[in-house]
Every structure is written in structure tokens, then in C-alpha cells.
Amino acid sequence: MTAMNPSLHPLDDALALTAAGTDVFTGRTTEPYWNMVGPFGGVTAATLLQAVIQHPARLGEPLSLTVNYAGAVGEGPFELRATPVRTSRSTQHWWLQLVQPDKDGKARVMTTATAITAVRRQTWSATDLPMPEAPAPETCAQVEQAIPVQWVNRYAMRPVAGMPPRQWDGAERDSLTRLWVRDTPGRALDFVALAALSDVFYPRIWRRRALHVPAGTVSMTVYFHAGSALLAETGSGWLLAQARGQEYRNGFFDQTAQLWNQAGQMLATTQQIVYYKE
Amino acid sequence: MTAMNPSLHPLDDALALTAAGTDVFTGRTTEPYWNMVGPFGGVTAATLLQAVIQHPARLGEPLSLTVNYAGAVGEGPFELRATPVRTSRSTQHWWLQLVQPDKDGKARVMTTATAITAVRRQTWSATDLPMPEAPAPETCAQVEQAIPVQWVNRYAMRPVAGMPPRQWDGAERDSLTRLWVRDTPGRALDFVALAALSDVFYPRIWRRRALHVPAGTVSMTVYFHAGSALLAETGSGWLLAQARGQEYRNGFFDQTAQLWNQAGQMLATTQQIVYYKE
């Protein structure tokens, strides 16, 4: 992995892309966001979105992002292909791929994604899901990380409910988790950071079963409810992040999750389907 | 629109595809699933999934489907492109497009999608979301349709909670809806029918605001929890379908939804982001 550029925030360093032709960008994995066998899935999602954000033909701001984790991204350089396949007056549809050479030097698709950007208008707005009550982040203790991997150190996490089980004893329970979370070191929130934060939860099945089974995200979708003005208001403040599993069946489970800023404004909702073993 | 083939169930007629080369199929819209300015979004999703199901290189069964509604599909023929971009031992990643000629005869992408198919193994399974209590479908009355469009007549719908408002008076309320639903005439459930049913809910904003504002799905994701054996068990029985909005902000809202069979088994979870006008 390329050495970190110490003048940049680790997230900006991880998301540094170089334009390399029409609809093509190059980037590389970085060590601070490394997971067990590849980069943190959240940072891969953010990298794909970064290509959209930096694309000269982009219309509007991110509305929706679906990332499909087809293969483990390997250490080193990669190529991103970001193609606007359809642009209307107010929305734009994107097809995205992350490509790396395999052992024989043949380009292989490691990640696919679609994104939608949109020009938003001020309208009547409301929520059906107010932020749950939670003690102030300043009164909550920093979490001890459940897994010894690099990327978890890129986030300050203060759990409110549903920590990883202290005993891996197979005692089944509800999978709801709530935590305060933000980048560390602090960094003003933007769309790419929010995309990465959408994948910040440890696997629901670990809490559901109190068993440390292998698990990995297969597909994640993020809906952005915040525009850039609300993200700017949120700045480097804490987000309340909540996730809960829905169904666990024959090797795959899904979760739904929400992220609010400390003022109680919903920034994003997200869901994913996750592979698990046994 | 091509006249219905009376020997087929209307859904099978709508989803009839013809192989037209490597990764290419042709189909056409049909009148029984027409919505206001294009086909019912659920049947478009089902059509894209049908191309995966009929593709000779398919591995496993549907696990995940994301459909992005880029433009209104017009009356008449269309072309589907279904490409397996990455196949591993147990999962396969698909890139899908629905293409139609525009007024000048130029091929335009009307819908994009990604799908994942997977070979599932029997594992520990459980739910975090048991089916809610509901009166038996036989005791519930058939709904009077909220909108005078064709496709709603292709479903038997028996609401349990959260019907469309009787008065469009702007009285705000929670957007939760529950209904028993199935194809009519009856048809054994399969993946394509389940994909279509995932879009069966009237727009959450109509209930949330009691205002009949224009609204249309921009992107929908379906996670399939049922395999073909459970679908076969479910047969032509009733499904309990539940949907609720999450956030409504500046022209877009999202919903999460779940579909159980009458025995209380979760078949699919789904979410969508929807444009609305104000």
C-alpha cells in the first residue's frame, strides 16, 4: 500500500484519485483503512462516489448509491470507471466499476456500483423516524474495538446501546446497535465521508448470535437525505448511527440503518445484505 | 402495446422475453401492467430480473436486485442487456439495462440495474422482525384502489392498516401501511413475481401528508431471503406486505418494506427512494 500522505486527512488520502481519461480515474488502497483481507467496505463505497463527485460531467449532488462487493480489492493501485449513462434535467444515473489486474495481469471487476445524483429543490420536508433518545456523546465512553483491524481506528465510536457481546457464548438477542460516531482526526462531513460511515457497524450477526462467525458485506445501498448545506452545518460533529438486522437466512442477512446529526436531522438511511458462514 | 396472450397469466405475458444474442433479450410492454406514464415499476424490475433468470450463464438464485428508473419506459418493444460481470464460486454479479429508441431512433437507457445471484447453503437462520399480528386475509375487505391505473387490478389487496387517506385534507400522520396481497388471477410465487410485489405500495407521502402529490420511484432495492423451495411452499397464498417511510426531504423520500408469507416467513425486504413534487 502506498505510504500515507501526512499532509492530508487519512480519508482524503485514501480517496485521492487521478483523472486518467474519459470516465476513468486511478487510485490505490491505503493502509489506514485496511480491513482483514481488503480495504474497509465503507471506504471502497466512498472511493466510487468520489469518482462521481470529481467527474467533470456531474449534475447535482448524490442521492443514491448501491455498491456490490464482487471480489476482495487487493493492496495497491486500482482503476475506477464512472460513466453517466443517462442525464435528465434534474437527475443523472451513473454506472461505476472498480477494476484491478488479477495474477495474470487481466483486468477484473472487483466492485460494481450505481449512483444517482440530483438537483434538489426546497420542498415540504418531514420525518417518520425521529432520532431516538440518547445520552450526550460527551457522557459516553469510547468503545473498545471488536476487531483488531486498522480502519476502526479511523473512527471515534461511543456506543449507546447494543455493543458487541462481551461473551461469545451463543446467547441470542436483538441486533439493535446505536452509537455516536465521527471521523478521527476530526474532519468536516461531506458525501464521501457519509458514504463510508454508512458501513461503520460491526456485523449484526455477531450481536444477534453472540458468535464471531465470518461475515462480509455483499451489497450496500445508501440514500442521501442531506444536501451539502446540511452536511456543512453538521461539520465535524457527532452522528448518531443506528443499525438493526431484519432477516438471517441460509448464509445471508440484511440490516437497515440510519444516521442523524447531533441536532437530530436525518443525514442518510442505508441497508446492506451480508454474507455469513455457518 | 402488444395484445395480451390470453393463454398466459398476465404477469408471464408481460415478462415474456426473446433471446436476441449474447447477453441481449427483447421484450415489450403490455397493457395490463400499465401505470400512468409507463409500465408499473414493479413489472420493470421483474422484467430485468427475468433476463437474469433466463440467462444461460446464470449461477444460483436471486439474492439482491437494485433497479434505477432513469427514464419513463415507453409503450412498445424494448431491449434488455444482462451481463454477468463477475462470477465466483458461489455468487455472480450482474449489470442490467433496459434500452429503447428515442424519437430520433437512438438507443437510450431507460432503466439500469445490478443484481446478485448466489448459491445458498442451509445455515442457522432467524429473524429480528417477526411478522406483525394481522387479522386473517379472509376477514379483510378488498381495497378500493387509490389510483385509476391498470396494474393495480393485477393484485388482490386487502389492507390491514394504513389505507390511503379518505380525505385529501393535508392532515399529517405516520406512513405505516400493512396489507395482504397476491397476484390476481392467482399465480404460484416466484422470484420475478416477488420482485414486482416489492413495488406494490402506493406512495408513502400520500398517506404521510394526505395530499395527492405527484411521486415516482427513482431507485428500488430488493433483498431476497426466500429460496425457490420456500417460494414453492408459499405458492399462490397471501403475502403480508408492510411499508413505512423514513425521511422526506427536498423532493425525495425513502421507504423500507417487508413481505412475509401467511406462515410468517420473511420472503423479501425492500427499500426505495422516491421523487415527490410539492
Side-chain angles (χ1 to χ4, degrees), chain B residues 47-61:
Chain B
T47 305
L48 287 155
L49 189 63
Q50 179 81 319
V52 172
I53 297 216
Q54 293 191 359
H55 197 291
R58 174 172 56 89
L59 173 82
E61 295 183 340

Side-chain angles (χ1 to χ4, degrees), chain B residues 48-128:
Chain B
L48 287 155
L49 189 63
Q50 179 81 319
V52 172
I53 297 216
Q54 293 191 359
H55 197 291
R58 174 172 56 89
L59 173 82
E61 295 183 340
L63 173 69
S64 171
L65 174 69
T66 293
V67 181
N68 306 296
Y69 299 93
V73 175
E75 195 180 321
F78 52 76
E79 187 177 285
L80 297 176
R81 299 175 189 166
T83 310
V85 290
R86 172 92 189 224
T87 304
S88 70
R89 209 172 40 183
S90 60
T91 60
Q92 191 170 46
H93 287 253
W94 294 85
W95 165 234
L96 307 163
Q97 296 176 80
L98 189 156
V99 174
Q100 274 186 325
D102 66 10
K103 284 168 201 160
D104 306 324
K106 198 183 153 208
R108 294 203 78 190
V109 176
M110 298 301 180
T111 322
T112 71
T114 58
I116 303 170
T117 52
V119 178
R120 306 192 83 161
R121 306 152 288 108
Q122 281 245 307
T123 67
W124 171 91
S125 296
T127 193
D128 268 338

Side-chain angles (χ1 to χ4, degrees), chain A residues 86 109 120 123-128 172 175 208 230 246-249 251 254 258 266 269 271 276, chain B residues 86 109-110 120 123-124 126-128 172 175 208 230 246-249 251 254 258 266 269 276 278:
Chain A
R86 172 93 188 225
V109 176
R120 306 192 83 161
T123 68
W124 170 92
S125 296
T127 192
D128 268 339
E172 296 192 14
S175 68
R208 184 64 179 76
L230 180 51
Q246 294 196 112
E247 183 76 6
Y248 309 76
R249 176 97 52 78
D254 71 323
Q258 299 82 30
M266 179 84 87
T269 52
Q271 43 277 328
Y276 65 90
Chain B
R86 172 92 189 224
V109 176
M110 298 301 180
R120 306 192 83 161
T123 67
W124 171 91
T127 193
D128 268 338
E172 295 192 14
S175 69
R208 183 65 179 74
L230 179 51
Q246 295 196 113
E247 183 76 6
Y248 309 75
R249 175 100 50 79
D254 71 323
Q258 300 82 28
M266 179 84 86
T269 52
Y276 66 90
E278 192 225 11

Side-chain angles (χ1 to χ4, degrees), chain A residues 61-63 120 189-191 194 223-232 234 259 261 265-269, chain B residues 247 249-250:
Chain A
E61 296 183 340
L63 174 68
R120 306 192 83 161
L189 191 65
D190 55 11
F191 289 105
L194 188 53
Y223 297 149
F224 297 95
H225 298 289
S228 49
L230 180 51
L231 295 178
T234 301
L259 297 105
N261 68 13
Q265 290 162 303
M266 179 84 87
L267 304 179
T269 52
Chain B
E247 183 76 6
R249 175 100 50 79
N250 290 342

Side-chain angles (χ1 to χ4, degrees), chain B residues 2-19:
Chain B
T2 309
M4 190 172 83
N5 178 344
S7 68
L8 291 178
H9 187 283
L11 186 61
D12 295 303
D13 188 44
L15 304 183
L17 301 182
T18 305

Side-chain angles (χ1 to χ4, degrees), chain A residues 161-165 173-179 200-211 215 242-246 248 253-257 272 274, chain B residues 124 128:
Chain A
M163 294 185 66
R173 72 200 81 194
D174 185 274
S175 68
L176 179 72
T177 281
R178 288 181 187 139
L179 72 157
V200 83
F201 309 95
Y202 69 89
R204 297 299 82 206
I205 197 160
W206 291 1
R207 179 161 175 86
R208 184 64 179 76
R209 297 181 70 183
L211 282 181
Q242 166 176 285
R244 194 178 182 188
Q246 294 196 112
Y248 309 76
F253 74 87
D254 71 323
Q255 74 177 32
T256 61
Q272 54 179 266
V274 181
Chain B
W124 171 91
D128 268 338

